Amino acid sequence: MTEAETLPILFVPDKRLRLKARPIGDADGDKVRALADKMLATMYAAPGIGLAAPQIGEGLRLVVLDIQPKEKPEPMVLVNPEIIAESAELAMREEGCLSLPGQYADVTRPARVKVRYLDLTGAKREIEGDGLLSACLQHEIDHLNGVLFVDHLSALKRNMILRKLAKDLKSQQRG
Ligand code: NI
């Protein structure tokens, strides 16, 4: 791993988390590579298994993830990722988010997805996954569209989590 600096992660209700991120173009080249390094460092330090650029205040369609960081690091960088196929079958698993620290809930999503993206060399790639990888891919791509995992919950459950988060963050500031 590179020794990249870490970046502050935005917390809900920061409005930048609700914006639709823009596609990355050729002109973004070097900036994207440096940003991906910093995002990976930030994700591993948090620690987390995925991070999307809007979470560090960059409105770009860039995602980093590593669903098994403790065993053997396998950092992935996805530029302009999009879901091109998803299963009719659904799966539920518990999710959390670095932008809603300490909050977790069961989220139901398609069990399997296929995602197309560009790697850092600009090569077209596809990844298909189920289980944790599927949930993580969908969760991070949601962030690029201003969507958070709590948006998949009932209004009642979502409001409970948002209230608890606000309380937790407030007591941390006082702490
Ligand atoms: Ni998240």
Side-chain angles (χ1 to χ4, degrees), residues 55 96-98 139-140 143:
Q55 293 181 273
C97 180
L98 295 176
H139 177 121
E140 299 310 331
H143 273 301

Side-chain angles (χ1 to χ4, degrees), residues 8-133:
I9 296 172
L10 305 183
F11 298 146
V12 170
D14 194 301
K15 288 190 170 60
R16 286 169 287 179
L17 292 168
R18 289 307 196 172
L19 302 176
K20 194 174 159 77
R22 74 162 171 88
I24 289 168
D26 292 340
D28 297 308
D30 287 347
K31 178 188 174 171
V32 169
R33 188 174 294 270
L35 186 61
D37 279 347
K38 289 179 195 171
M39 284 172 59
L40 280 166
T42 304
M43 179 189 79
Y44 285 122
I49 59 171
L51 187 69
Q55 293 181 273
I56 45 92
E58 290 284 348
L60 293 170
R61 302 190 80 80
L62 179 65
V63 161
V64 298
L65 60 94
D66 186 344
I67 60 166
Q68 48 174 17
K70 276 181 195 146
E71 293 145 41
K72 180 171 166 279
E74 271 185 39
M76 281 191 58
V77 178
L78 288 75
V79 175
N80 297 339
E82 53 178 325
I83 294 170
I84 55 169
E86 59 186 35
S87 65
E89 185 197 337
L90 302 176
M92 184 174 77
R93 47 187 318 128
E94 187 176 70
E95 295 187 23
C97 180
L98 295 176
S99 293
L100 293 94
Q103 315 305 316
Y104 302 90
D106 286 336
V107 178
T108 301
R109 301 178 183 271
R112 286 178 304 284
V113 289
K114 189 190 276 189
V115 170
R116 183 177 293 156
Y117 66 99
L118 303 176
D119 67 18
L120 280 175
T121 72
K124 274 187 194 160
R125 292 182 175 273
E126 283 182 11
I127 183 171
E128 201 170 348
D130 61 5
L132 179 59
L133 178 60

